[in-house]
Amino acid sequence: MAELKPANENPWYVLATLYGEQTGDGIDWELHEKNRRAWNAWAGKDLADTGKLFEATNVCSVSQAELTAWRTLADEVKCLHQEQMVKRNDQSFVYEGLPSPRKSFDFSDLIFGLPVICNDFAFPTDVTFQNANFKADGQFKLVSFFAQSSFQGAKFNSNAFFREADFAFGIDFREVEIARITNFYSASFGAPNYFGGAQFKGLANFVSAFFQDIVYFRDAHFYEVANFQLARFGGLTNFVNTKFDDTGDSRIDRTSFRDCQFDKPTSFREAVFLKNYPDLSGAVLHDNTTFTAKEGYWPDKAQRPYKDRDEEQIWAEASKDSCATIRHAIAKQGLPEDEHFFFRREMQFAGQIGSWLQRLPYRAFGLVSDYGHSIERPAKSLVTTVVMPSGVFAAKLGTAGHGAGLLDFFREIWAGLGLSFANTFKFFGLQRLHFGKFFQEAGPWLHFLAGTQTVLGFVFLFFLGLGLRQRFRLR
């Protein structure tokens, strides 16, 4: 990485702050307007000559009057630019003249000690802030006409605002680090757009953003809430290996894709949602939307600190809806194992909602069979249902036995197991065939025990069938 230089050594920065830098606690909008008019007049001075003026004014919010004001402001801008460049640097500085708007706008490797305000600044060619270091807030409602904007490797020590920015040819935001709020509200992005490896350490606001084509968030990290509500993704969208921590101040705030529209295949493969399931209510997911159905990529309830019962229910209801949405999206792709992964979580959250009586069936379903996924649990339950009461039946058989020898003891044990098996699987008819006389003489409590075994046998056998069906994809 190149050594960082003061911003005032850069001719483009001095041109962008021709009438003065933002030095107060708030933004001096009158000063900003003067700087913007001078910048846009200079940036647009060659558009008419290259035949791009009409195209530029049709794709952005900058007025044609500002882009064609160079004749009026030329002398003043040229004079002030040289004056400010000399004034802001030491005696060894050599002025090289006003840069050309036809060349790349290079703000790379600069230290910006004061707020940078570029709202409605026009860029007729590519602009780069690569590896720049912003010590204070930055506002970049940039208007990029014909080339990509690059902030690759830039570091923002405060807030970064790109509200309603127009990146007609996309943005390169790879490896950017933002310490506080990132605001791309209603920003428009052409293609391609790269956010890979970016670190959003504060709230990331992409509400109503429009990604017209490809966008990559691969390996990005959202430390607090990422809000993409009402955003539209017009091209391939990649959130592979992206991490969503949701560690903001509010315990129930979470990453939101609410009412988003995904027009093309979208990948959340190996994306990690550490604290919350994303809000997908009202989202239109593409049929080829992928999620990773594995442990470790989704929140663990045990790690969730609830303030009270109401908060737990709010979180559970929201998470249940998200799991249902993801499950429906995966079902369209014919991935039963992945679908059942989110079904199980949907049922888990259903077991946290409502009164204890409403929660009981879901929790019992999960305990007995892991929501129809486990073979082991119902099989163990069946074995337990057979084995545990068998001692009671063996003891009863022993009292009516014909001897007290060791061989008789083992016979009674096996007879007790056989009787218990016959009770559990009564549909085989073994109970009536081999133990009819025993039940004629048995008391009501033994009949009750046998009946309980029969009921539990049907229940556990049903859940065992569910597990086998799920495991072997039986229809």
Side-chain angles (χ1 to χ4, degrees), residues 321-343:
D321 291 343
S322 296
C323 290
T325 301
I326 296 172
R327 178 172 60 83
H328 285 306
I330 291 176
K332 297 177 183 178
Q333 302 171 46
L335 300 171
E337 190 66 30
D338 291 357
E339 179 187 354
H340 205 275
F341 176 89
F342 290 101
F343 170 76

Side-chain angles (χ1 to χ4, degrees), residues 236-265:
L236 298 173
T237 304
N238 186 318
F239 282 97
V240 173
N241 206 36
T242 301
K243 190 172 183 181
F244 300 90
D245 287 357
D246 283 2
T247 54
D249 293 334
S250 174
R251 292 178 177 149
I252 59 175
D253 282 346
R254 58 181 177 146
T255 292
S256 176
F257 293 94
R258 188 184 187 94
D259 297 319
C260 285
Q261 180 172 329
F262 296 87
D263 295 337
K264 294 290 178 65

Side-chain angles (χ1 to χ4, degrees), residues 10 47 92 120 219 285 325 341 470:
N10 182 277
L47 290 177
S92 64
D120 292 317
D219 298 316
L285 300 177
T325 301
F341 176 89
Q470 174 62 25

Side-chain angles (χ1 to χ4, degrees), residues 417-467:
L417 282 171
L419 176 55
S420 191
F421 181 88
N423 295 335
T424 304
F425 300 98
K426 191 174 182 179
F427 56 87
F428 286 132
L430 299 175
Q431 187 187 69
R432 181 181 300 175
L433 182 64
H434 297 286
F435 300 98
K437 184 178 179 181
F438 173 84
F439 279 101
Q440 289 177 2
E441 300 173 357
W445 65 276
L446 286 177
H447 282 276
F448 175 79
L449 180 59
T452 301
Q453 281 186 289
T454 301
V455 172
L456 291 177
F458 274 113
V459 171
F460 296 142
L461 195 61
F462 171 76
F463 286 126
L464 178 61
L466 277 183

Side-chain angles (χ1 to χ4, degrees), residues 1-121:
M1 183 183 295
E3 183 180 354
L4 298 181
K5 299 178 180 179
N8 278 313
E9 292 184 10
N10 182 277
W12 289 276
Y13 174 75
V14 173
L15 186 58
T17 58
L18 198 61
Y19 293 95
E21 299 176 276
Q22 298 285 344
T23 57
D25 293 335
I27 299 173
D28 185 341
W29 290 109
E30 185 177 346
L31 173 62
H32 168 70
E33 184 176 353
K34 291 176 68 176
N35 287 333
R36 189 199 71 227
R37 288 181 180 276
W39 174 277
N40 287 343
W42 165 80
K45 72 188 186 71
D46 292 334
L47 290 177
D49 296 339
T50 57
K52 294 182 177 180
L53 179 61
F54 178 78
E55 183 179 351
T57 54
N58 275 328
V59 298
C60 76
S61 58
V62 179
S63 68
Q64 184 172 331
E66 285 194 13
L67 293 173
T68 57
W70 180 244
R71 289 185 180 180
T72 305
L73 297 175
D75 293 339
E76 182 178 349
V77 170
K78 290 177 182 178
C79 181
L80 273 176
H81 187 259
Q82 181 174 0
E83 177 185 316
Q84 289 295 317
M85 287 291 295
V86 173
K87 180 180 178 180
R88 298 184 194 185
N89 292 281
D90 58 31
Q91 294 180 350
S92 64
F93 174 77
V94 177
Y95 182 65
E96 297 181 356
L98 194 68
S100 169
R102 296 191 184 188
K103 296 182 179 179
S104 298
F105 296 73
D106 189 0
F107 295 91
S108 58
D109 302 311
L110 297 182
I111 297 177
F112 297 95
L114 296 172
V116 178
I117 313 299
C118 292
N119 286 4
D120 292 317
F121 274 44

Side-chain angles (χ1 to χ4, degrees), residues 164-404:
E164 298 178 352
D166 185 358
F167 301 100
F169 280 76
I171 188 173
D172 186 345
F173 219 67
R174 287 175 292 182
E175 307 299 332
V176 171
E177 181 180 331
I178 303 176
R180 295 179 65 188
I181 294 173
T182 308
N183 191 340
F184 280 97
Y185 175 82
S186 287
S188 179
F189 301 87
N193 301 283
Y194 302 98
F195 292 85
Q199 298 186 55
F200 302 90
K201 296 188 174 181
L203 170 68
N205 183 356
F206 287 85
V207 173
S208 298
F210 179 26
F211 299 92
Q212 300 176 42
D213 214 308
I214 299 171
V215 57
Y216 296 93
F217 280 93
R218 187 186 184 102
D219 298 316
H221 192 167
F222 294 90
Y223 287 78
E224 291 192 15
V225 175
N227 191 350
F228 288 87
Q229 186 173 348
L230 293 169
R232 181 177 178 183
F233 298 84
L236 298 173
T237 304
N238 186 318
F239 282 97
V240 173
N241 206 36
T242 301
K243 190 172 183 181
F244 300 90
D245 287 357
D246 283 2
T247 54
D249 293 334
S250 174
R251 292 178 177 149
I252 59 175
D253 282 346
R254 58 181 177 146
T255 292
S256 176
F257 293 94
R258 188 184 187 94
D259 297 319
C260 285
Q261 180 172 329
F262 296 87
D263 295 337
K264 294 290 178 65
T266 303
S267 178
F268 287 94
R269 180 170 53 84
E270 296 184 358
V272 178
F273 296 89
L274 185 66
K275 190 176 178 183
N276 294 301
Y277 285 80
D279 183 357
L280 295 167
S281 55
V284 180
L285 300 177
H286 190 271
D287 288 348
N288 291 326
T289 300
T290 59
F291 295 89
T292 297
K294 293 181 181 179
E295 300 287 351
Y297 293 93
W298 302 96
D300 182 358
K301 178 190 172 185
Q303 299 175 352
R304 183 76 191 175
Y306 300 113
K307 184 171 61 176
D308 51 39
R309 172 65 183 150
D310 288 340
E311 184 181 287
E312 179 183 6
Q313 292 220 74
I314 291 172
W315 186 73
E317 288 174 359
S319 300
K320 176 178 175 291
D321 291 343
S322 296
C323 290
T325 301
I326 296 172
R327 178 172 60 83
H328 285 306
I330 291 176
K332 297 177 183 178
Q333 302 171 46
L335 300 171
E337 190 66 30
D338 291 357
E339 179 187 354
H340 205 275
F341 176 89
F342 290 101
F343 170 76
R344 296 195 297 275
R345 275 141 189 80
E346 186 182 346
M347 293 297 98
Q348 287 174 359
F349 292 121
Q352 295 176 243
I353 300 169
S355 66
W356 71 269
L357 192 59
Q358 291 172 312
R359 300 194 302 269
L360 181 61
Y362 295 102
R363 296 194 173 185
F365 186 23
L367 181 65
V368 172
S369 69
D370 193 18
Y371 307 102
H373 185 258
S374 175
I375 295 174
E376 181 182 1
R377 290 187 189 182
K380 285 182 176 180
S381 298
L382 275 172
V383 171
T384 302
T385 303
V386 172
V387 172
M388 286 192 66
S390 66
V392 176
F393 295 119
K396 178 64 177 177
L397 288 168
T399 61
H402 304 290

